[in-house]
Amino acid sequence: MTRTLKDAGREKTAERLLKSSANKFYDPDVDIDWDAPLVPGKHYIPEHRSSLYGTDLWRKLTPEQRIELGKHEIASVATTGLWFEILLMQMLLKEVYETDPTTSHAQYALTEVADECRHSTMFARLADRIGCPAYGPVPALRQLAKLLPAISYGPARYGAILVAEEVLDRLQREQMNDPEIQPLVRMVNRIHVLEEARHVTFAREEVTRGMAKLNRAELVYQQFLIALISYFVTRAFINPHVYKAVGIRPRDGVEAALNNPNWQQTIAYAGEKIMPFLQDAGLIGKPGMYFWKKSFLLPAK
């Protein structure tokens, strides 16, 4: 039996988002010129956003190798984003499964699933077009993440969606108007940013509503779960095998990146919009503080 009680505020938001989705959406198969040649010498990410920027390993790379590393890092981020969006779709479908499908809330959730299907295809095509593997997360994390749709619910479910989406969104907003970045990458970023704005509104309101209903025991679980998921999200962005593309042993690349103040600052920068919201909502607390700090989204001290 589905939930049939309609929340007026939730329905109003969903109705507005449905109208926005109908008025403006993108089809990457049509709106991106996938046959356009890549521009020689253009970067795929800003150099200062590379995981190795400023390290001894970075200083040993030639300008061409730095571009090549950035190409593989953007492919890793894109295919990891694809992986998380598949998990997101499973979580949204679970929500719809338990909800009255005649509500605007359920219908917007389905609309978001449709958006994410297009985004996942777009990210896959990007990696293929620039000649990179579908890196995604490491195998152990891919297996572990299968539990996520089963163990997540309420504010932590939507909060985790927000962390993954808003961290990526912050970096994409920086890149989509950067003339030094490949036009193909800029267009992919622009489409994702414009459509994710609706998804962020939807998820933020669900977090706020859900937090008001939690008892103490549930709050502890929610605070721990979102911190754990966020830790894995930030760790997953760069697959260790990207470093092989420029002759760096994966374990050396990972060690350098995790100890790189510039990379830690990049993750903190990417989380600057979402972290204050989660703190104000009450989702950041002592049960998950170890993982928040390890994720680089909060300072270690």
Side-chain angles (χ1 to χ4, degrees):
M1 187 177 219
T2 57
R3 299 196 301 265
T4 57
L5 184 63
K6 294 186 178 182
D7 180 305
R10 171 189 262 185
E11 286 293 280
K12 185 176 180 179
T13 296
E15 289 166 8
R16 176 169 55 83
L17 294 175
L18 282 167
K19 289 179 181 177
S20 176
S21 298
N23 290 332
K24 191 64 174 177
F25 68 94
Y26 293 89
D27 182 347
D29 287 336
V30 175
D31 295 317
I32 295 178
D33 183 359
W34 294 102
D35 295 324
L38 298 171
V39 181
K42 288 281 187 182
H43 292 266
Y44 294 82
I45 60 173
E47 284 198 343
H48 67 285
R49 296 303 180 201
S50 172
S51 61
L52 296 184
Y53 180 77
T55 65
D56 289 338
L57 291 176
W58 177 263
R59 284 185 279 272
K60 294 176 183 178
L61 297 177
T62 66
E64 293 75 19
Q65 286 178 313
R66 292 173 180 179
I67 292 176
E68 184 70 9
L69 176 59
K71 182 176 77 172
H72 285 264
E73 286 183 320
I74 195 69
S76 178
V77 170
T79 53
T80 297
L82 185 162
W83 159 75
F84 194 83
E85 288 190 332
I86 291 172
L87 290 172
L88 183 160
M89 287 187 275
Q90 291 181 52
M91 292 187 284
L92 286 173
L93 287 172
K94 182 179 179 181
E95 179 86 5
V96 174
Y97 189 81
E98 299 169 348
T99 306
D100 179 354
T102 67
T103 63
S104 295
H105 173 79
Q107 291 168 26
Y108 180 73
L110 289 172
T111 299
E112 184 169 332
V113 170
D115 289 345
E116 300 298 10
C117 282
R118 294 194 302 275
H119 295 170
S120 295
T121 302
M122 179 173 68
F123 288 155
R125 290 194 69 175
L126 172 64
D128 183 58
R129 177 64 185 86
I130 64 178
C132 291
Y135 286 108
V138 296
L141 181 54
R142 188 182 292 275
Q143 292 300 315
L144 181 63
K146 290 180 179 180
L147 295 172
L148 184 57
I151 65 174
S152 68
Y153 70 93
R157 172 187 291 174
Y158 283 100
I161 290 171
L162 282 169
V163 169
E165 298 287 14
E166 294 209 44
V167 164
L168 183 57
D169 179 86
R170 191 92 196 277
L171 296 174
Q172 288 181 323
R173 284 180 184 273
E174 179 184 50
Q175 296 172 26
M176 70 183 193
N177 295 317
D178 186 340
E180 298 304 314
I181 302 300
Q182 289 282 349
L184 172 62
V185 174
R186 291 171 61 190
M187 188 60 185
V188 166
N189 287 344
R190 184 171 291 110
I191 287 175
H192 195 246
V193 163
L194 292 174
E195 294 198 329
E196 287 301 327
R198 294 190 291 263
H199 303 176
V200 166
T201 297
F202 185 68
R204 283 191 176 217
E205 292 204 9
E206 287 303 305
V207 167
T208 300
R209 287 192 191 91
M211 290 299 293
K213 302 174 183 178
L214 296 181
N215 60 39
R216 177 60 187 170
E218 287 177 319
L219 177 61
V220 169
Y221 177 74
Q222 297 282 317
Q223 288 176 334
F224 175 79
L225 183 62
I226 188 174
L228 181 65
I229 296 171
S230 299
Y231 165 78
F232 283 122
V233 165
T234 60
R235 285 291 192 272
F237 276 135
I238 305 300
N239 186 298
H241 291 289
V242 303
Y243 301 115
K244 287 183 178 180
V246 290
I248 294 173
R249 190 169 60 169
R251 71 173 68 175
D252 294 339
V254 170
E255 182 180 5
L258 292 180
N259 290 297
N260 182 7
N262 290 307
W263 179 240
Q264 295 174 18
Q265 289 168 13
T266 286
I267 297 299
Y269 164 83
E272 279 179 355
K273 288 181 65 179
I274 184 55
M275 295 305 289
F277 170 78
L278 296 177
Q279 287 175 318
D280 290 344
L283 262 178
I284 297 178
K286 188 175 180 180
M289 197 56 65
Y290 172 83
F291 289 105
W292 282 122
K293 292 178 178 179
K294 285 291 185 180
S295 73
F296 306 137
L297 290 166
L298 284 180
K301 294 182 181 180

